[in-house]
Amino acid sequence: MTTLIDDRATAPLAPVTATLRSMFGTDELPGLATGLIVTDEVGWAPATELIDGSRLPDLLGASRQRWGATPHAAAALAWKSYTYWLGLPVVLGWAAARRVPLLYPADVLTHVTDSGPLLKFGLRPTTTIAVLPNDPLALAGLPEVRVAADEAELLGLLRASLLDAHLTPLLDAIHAQVRVGARTLMGSVASGVAHAVLRAADALPGGSAEHIGVLLDTLDVADLIELVPGPTGALTVQRKTCCLAFTLPQPKICAGCCIRTA
């Protein structure tokens, strides 16, 4: 009997890019490299250079200049942009196909932009992708594929790469340069995950609330948001922390902010 491997096996990130295309209507996204993979690294820097502090002042300075923000607000807004766009491939990869790029800092490339999101992200071609045993990619023999034994191990790999190895040390690096609460910053992680799933809901199998619940539990941020019905009855995100955009010279109250307006 011949084993058939579908075309996803030859395009490891295809489920992710297809879901992104469904969300945004284009492959040219403001915060992510086209196709997610960067083959020419000129103008890009690995995320390790932010985490070790060498390029972090450049990012925080760009945030202050862009928004006219105080140092702590600039850090919070830079983090909000960083974690949303960084997390998208992981969140959508897991929710769409249980196919998770492992975003260890050395495999993530960053580029500070002049317009749109503060940062643009791309992945090195050698970035490891974690899958379940029943994924066609598990049979493809590709060196960058890691096969998790089950769902629990897959989620553990997601957490280990995104949170433990990447976001937590970046948060520590930010704290070494500016005072801003960890709960404030992690609230943006929770909000970003939830917004990503809700925006992509039509392209995802299963229920949005269930996807969001599993991911937030995995990242230990489930207590930082609530999903509540909006005016049309559709789920919306209610934050329990603030990204500090209200402190800008032109104050902004984001949808779902914990700050109430009259």
Side-chain angles (χ1 to χ4, degrees), residues 234-258:
L235 289 177
T236 62
V237 179
Q238 176 63 56
R239 290 187 58 150
K240 297 182 181 180
T241 67
C242 178
C243 70
L244 305 183
F246 79 97
T247 67
L248 296 177
Q250 297 181 350
K252 178 181 178 182
I253 305 297
C254 306
C257 184
C258 59

Side-chain angles (χ1 to χ4, degrees), residues 162-187:
L162 178 62
L163 181 65
D164 300 338
H166 198 137
L167 294 184
T168 297
L170 179 59
L171 187 150
D172 291 342
I174 290 172
H175 279 161
Q177 300 201 23
V178 64
R179 295 183 63 181
V180 58
R183 183 176 171 86
T184 292
L185 298 184
M186 295 308 293

